[in-house]
Amino acid sequence: TAKRTKKVPQLPNIWKREDVKCYLDHQKKQTYQYLLSLPLVSWLITLLQDFLLDILRAGPLPTHISFIMDGNRRYAKSLGMPIIKGHEAGAITLLRMLYNCKKLGIKTTSAYAFSIENFNRPKEEVDTLTRLLAEKLDEIAVKAQDVKDELYGSSFKVVGDRSLISRELNDKITNVERMTAVNDVDEEKTSLLYICFPYTSRNDIYHAMYNTVERVKYHGMSTESISVESLTDAMYFDEFSNKCDLLIRTSGHTRLSDYMLWQSHENGMIEFSTTLWPSYTFLEFYLVLVRWSFFTSLQRFQTSGFSARGQMFNFVREALFSKGHGAPIPLEELPPPPVA
Ligand code: FPP
Ligand code: MG
């Protein structure tokens, strides 16, 4: 049963200290909400966010960002709302993150929307999530074809074990995928959005193995041609998404839940946040990206042989001992030593 939030006391009935605190918190929240709803304020916030994203674009950025969107039910419970409201709020956060990634020019953004394990949840919740996916598919298809929308030109894919979902939903997915498919000319420029539904990494790996064995058995594929690359290519995550550079999981759980097991690579970063997914903010996401960009730049400098300390040493040496000011004489310019 959902835990109800504490009832906010009305002004003339406030006697206790915690009632005053509860009342003030409520007022503060209402004021923030009111301010954020003002068109001028939201315009300014968007402007500031775009500016911050522009700064970030100057440095290296991940090719593939993925989200484990966890904490929807706890979010709904904390507000005394039905679980569906938590998933709906989660869908809004997903859309916000897709916008941010698109603005940044991230090639692939993916999200874990439904694990195969989630079929064990109450039927009502499974139906809600399935209905939500169908609704979001329609919404995203419209956005991807609307020139005025930020998601315009994005290509949309649902990855996972499609044999586990209904025929109607499968047809809808195929339709949206076809409508938003990338053509060869635009392939390099297009942003790819992947929704994993119903998905688990081990199921993906199992399918890739199974299909490869079938190809060897019935389609003349040689065993020598089986490689890490060929198995990677056989997975649901294909080109531009088969390596995950940044994986973000919300809600405080520090586990992978059978996700991105194959695609998390040697330089991939995994970030855990204690924020519940519907409350995940632009700022938190931005700081994760700044950290990723900083460490990636550092790593690239190191692997390219660049040494910040060496550069600094050279700089100081140049400044202190430049030619004409007692610069050190190279060994070959010294006179020969006296003959003994
Ligand atoms: C995990 O939170 C979240 C899910 C299982 C569903 C994720 C779905 C969305 C964010 C909505 C977008 C959906 C689609 C289909 C596009 P939880 O339910 O495990 O919450 P808890 O950890 O608080 O129990
Ligand atoms: Mg959960």
Side-chain angles (χ1 to χ4, degrees):
T1 55
K3 194 178 90 192
R4 296 270 146 198
T5 39
K6 196 166 189 282
K7 204 165 176 298
V8 180
Q10 295 305 303
L11 246 192
N13 304 323
I14 298 176
W15 298 111
K16 282 186 256 149
R17 205 164 154 216
E18 68 237 43
D19 281 353
V20 175
K21 194 174 171 298
C22 182
Y23 179 80
L24 289 178
D25 278 353
H26 180 73
Q27 291 301 325
K28 204 162 77 182
K29 244 183 236 164
Q30 294 255 320
T31 315
Y32 280 149
Q33 266 166 13
Y34 171 71
L35 285 176
L36 289 177
S37 69
L38 293 175
L40 181 68
V41 175
S42 58
W43 177 75
L44 281 173
I45 291 174
T46 313
L47 212 66
L48 180 68
Q49 290 184 349
D50 288 355
F51 172 67
L52 290 173
L53 293 176
D54 277 345
I55 296 176
L56 207 58
R57 283 215 299 226
L61 282 170
T63 303
H64 179 189
I65 300 181
S66 196
F67 298 100
I68 302 182
M69 312 179 284
D70 197 18
N72 292 353
R73 289 183 298 185
R74 272 168 283 163
Y75 173 83
K77 282 177 194 169
S78 74
L79 295 173
M81 296 192 303
I83 282 169
I84 176 177
K85 293 285 172 203
H87 291 313
E88 280 172 359
I92 294 172
T93 305
L94 172 62
L95 211 59
R96 278 199 283 114
M97 290 302 143
L98 293 183
Y99 276 134
N100 290 331
C101 291
K102 178 80 172 39
K103 276 186 199 164
L104 270 174
I106 303 294
K107 184 70 195 167
T108 308
T109 310
S110 59
Y112 202 13
F114 194 88
S115 136
I116 293 174
E117 298 299 314
N118 288 152
F119 279 115
N120 297 326
R121 291 191 178 191
K123 185 177 176 304
E124 203 182 299
E125 195 184 341
V126 173
D127 290 348
T128 298
L129 285 167
T130 312
R131 186 180 49 73
L132 210 54
L133 174 69
E135 276 175 27
K136 291 297 147 196
L137 278 172
D138 288 336
E139 201 179 317
I140 288 176
V142 171
K143 286 179 185 297
Q145 288 176 315
D146 176 1
V147 265
K148 288 201 216 103
D149 199 277
E150 308 265 10
L151 287 187
Y152 175 67
S154 305
S155 175
F156 189 74
K157 275 188 183 183
V158 174
V159 296
D161 195 340
R162 302 259 291 259
S163 68
L164 300 172
I165 50 180
S166 72
R167 175 104 185 260
E168 299 84 70
L169 189 56
N170 260 311
D171 289 347
K172 196 183 246 301
I173 292 170
T174 312
N175 201 14
V176 173
E177 284 179 344
R178 260 197 219 130
M179 276 162 72
T180 62
V182 202
N183 58 43
D184 291 344
V185 184
D186 292 336
E187 185 158 36
E188 286 297 318
K189 287 185 283 167
T190 314
S191 300
L192 307 169
L193 313 177
Y194 286 77
I195 298 290
C196 305
F197 194 111
Y199 183 86
T200 58
S201 270
R202 282 182 299 170
N203 179 273
D204 195 356
I205 295 167
Y206 156 75
H207 274 108
M209 303 278 180
Y210 190 92
N211 292 339
T212 306
V213 170
E214 276 214 318
R215 261 180 245 147
V216 170
K217 215 166 154 189
Y218 303 113
H219 302 284
M221 183 182 177
S222 67
T223 43
E224 287 75 35
S225 59
I226 302 176
S227 60
V228 172
E229 285 72 33
S230 77
L231 287 172
T232 307
D233 290 343
M235 304 232 178
Y236 296 130
F237 280 105
D238 44 28
E239 206 189 348
F240 302 117
S241 66
N242 54 24
K243 276 191 161 193
C244 179
D245 306 304
L246 175 61
L247 173 62
I248 298 173
R249 181 177 187 144
T250 54
S251 96
H253 292 311
T254 47
R255 52 177 188 251
L256 288 177
S257 300
D258 210 345
Y259 188 61
M260 290 292 163
L261 301 187
W262 186 275
Q263 293 79 10
S264 302
H265 60 98
E266 62 285 4
N267 295 325
M269 191 188 252
I270 303 174
E271 285 282 338
F272 295 103
S273 156
T274 50
T275 310
L276 303 178
W277 175 252
S279 313
Y280 195 63
T281 58
F282 170 85
L283 192 64
E284 213 175 324
F285 178 53
Y286 188 79
L287 292 177
V288 167
L289 285 173
V290 168
R291 213 165 26 239
W292 188 94
S293 190
F294 175 75
F295 285 115
T296 305
S297 306
L298 213 65
Q299 205 169 32
R300 286 185 191 169
F301 280 141
Q302 271 164 5
T303 46
S304 66
F306 176 92
S307 147
R309 203 189 296 167
Q311 290 284 322
M312 182 64 85
F313 179 72
N314 284 342
F315 175 77
V316 172
R317 200 179 57 173
E318 282 288 309
L320 294 180
F321 308 110
S322 59
K323 281 242 186 275
H325 292 91
I329 303 162
L331 203 62
E332 56 276 12
E333 282 179 24
L334 287 172
V339 183

